């Protein structure tokens, strides 16, 4: 099993290219906390969840949904993305609430 882990790390090292990104202090603190919480909450123990893991997932989200990035400045991009996320989350809450209001067997 340790051999598989070493092979996975070797392939990962070949596929990844480092990118240095300066973070604000609050970003760094929150990122560390998120990674730590995710590590503790894992249902399967295996590979580690690190700050870099969380960053790569966030980058994958932006790559998959570039339409969330609208604006001319970093602040515009952040504000517009957060606004869109809030709209999506609110819509999800509304749908979940509507689903719990239905009685069993009742069609909408």
């Amino acid at each position: 099993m340790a051999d598989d882990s070493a092979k996975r790390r070797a392939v990962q090292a070949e596929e990844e290219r480092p990118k240095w990104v300066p973070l604000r202090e609050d970003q760094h603190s929150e990122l560390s906390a998120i990674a730590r919480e995710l590590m503790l909450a894992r249902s399967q123990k295996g590979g580690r969840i690190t700050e870099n893991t969380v960053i790569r997932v966030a980058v994958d989200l932006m790559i998959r949904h570039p339409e969330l990035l609208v604006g001319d400045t970093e602040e515009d991009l952040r504000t517009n993305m957060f606004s869109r996320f809030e709209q999506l989350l609110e819509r999800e809450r509304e749908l979940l609430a509507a689903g719990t209001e239905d009685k069993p067997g009742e069609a909408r």
Side-chain angles (χ1 to χ4, degrees):
M1 186 138 338
D3 190 47
D4 288 344
S5 181
K7 286 179 187 175
R8 188 171 44 251
R9 280 194 304 272
V11 168
Q12 199 173 24
E14 291 175 11
E15 294 175 350
E16 295 176 355
R17 296 176 61 188
K19 176 67 176 164
W20 186 80
V21 178
L23 298 175
R24 297 185 317 262
E25 182 61 35
D26 65 309
Q27 291 172 321
H28 187 269
S29 298
E30 288 296 321
L31 188 59
S32 296
I34 290 168
R36 194 169 38 256
E37 289 171 15
L38 289 169
M39 275 291 289
L40 294 172
R42 292 180 303 163
S43 59
Q44 296 180 349
K45 306 305 179 195
R48 292 178 9 166
I49 297 176
T50 66
E51 293 149 339
N52 287 340
T53 306
V54 177
I55 291 168
R56 284 191 297 271
V57 170
V59 169
D60 286 339
L61 174 65
M62 295 304 101
I63 290 169
R64 183 170 287 183
H65 296 284
E67 71 276 7
L68 295 173
L69 297 170
V70 178
D72 296 326
T73 66
E74 182 175 341
E75 183 59 32
D76 288 347
L77 295 170
R78 181 177 16 277
T79 300
N80 291 329
M81 182 185 63
F82 288 166
S83 175
R84 183 67 178 129
F85 269 130
E86 287 300 320
Q87 291 171 358
L88 292 170
L89 290 172
E90 181 58 32
R91 179 69 178 134
E92 181 180 38
R93 284 189 287 268
E94 290 170 0
L95 290 171
L96 288 172
T100 59
E101 292 172 4
D102 291 340
K103 294 181 181 149
E106 184 177 299
R108 283 184 77 85

